[in-house]
Amino acid sequence: MTTRTSRSLRKYISDRGKIRGRKVSGNCQQHQRDVTDAIKTARELALLPYTQRTVTERRGGRGNRDDRGPRPPRSDADRPAAPESVSTEAPDVEAEEISRTSTPLPLRRSNSSRRSPNESPAPK
């Protein structure tokens, strides 16, 4: 593949480096497949780039903050609170009594005691 061939393949690649679709390029299915294979081969041989370098106009992310000016210093109210130290006191007795007096949850039935879907319910 020559440089001339890679130049002719550029018309089948978008400005972002994507291969143009069949409806956009006007190729039949077989020719589009041939063009796609040729573009992929040219990319592997470094005759065509995989992506095109783009310059974005919109602003976003955590980019440059120079146009907004410097940040004001943080006050103490804005800072997150420090974690409290671990207490070495005795545990709360009332909480223990509540947990002991609460009713236990019912146990689940085992799989062997379940009815099969075809089995009818027991008569009352």
Side-chain angles (χ1 to χ4, degrees):
M1 185 178 295
T2 64
T3 309
R4 191 169 127 191
T5 308
S6 63
R7 280 190 209 141
S8 63
L9 289 176
R10 287 190 190 268
K11 65 182 178 181
Y12 298 107
I13 298 176
S14 71
D15 58 339
R16 292 198 167 259
K18 295 181 177 182
I19 299 173
R20 294 188 193 270
R22 217 179 87 189
K23 292 179 181 178
V24 176
S25 65
N27 291 330
C28 68
Q29 189 173 4
Q30 181 61 46
H31 288 143
Q32 182 67 24
R33 197 176 301 127
D34 293 342
V35 167
T36 302
D37 290 340
I39 289 171
K40 289 180 179 181
T41 304
R43 285 175 175 169
E44 287 181 11
L45 296 174
L47 299 174
L48 287 175
Y50 281 92
T51 59
Q52 303 293 332
R53 203 173 276 261
T54 59
V55 178
T56 56
E57 293 292 325
R58 59 186 172 162
R59 187 178 143 164
R62 296 176 167 247
N64 192 359
R65 294 180 53 93
D66 292 340
D67 58 340
R68 290 188 274 168
R71 269 189 163 164
R74 292 176 70 175
S75 65
D76 289 335
D78 294 341
R79 292 197 177 121
E84 295 181 19
S85 61
V86 178
S87 174
T88 57
E89 297 176 11
D92 191 12
V93 177
E94 291 178 20
E96 280 185 27
E97 287 182 24
I98 291 172
S99 66
R100 271 191 252 139
T101 58
S102 64
T103 57
L105 296 173
L107 298 175
R108 291 183 60 172
R109 291 173 22 182
S110 65
N111 288 339
S112 61
S113 65
R114 290 189 181 166
R115 287 182 305 202
S116 67
N118 297 333
E119 195 176 312
S120 61
K124 292 183 181 180

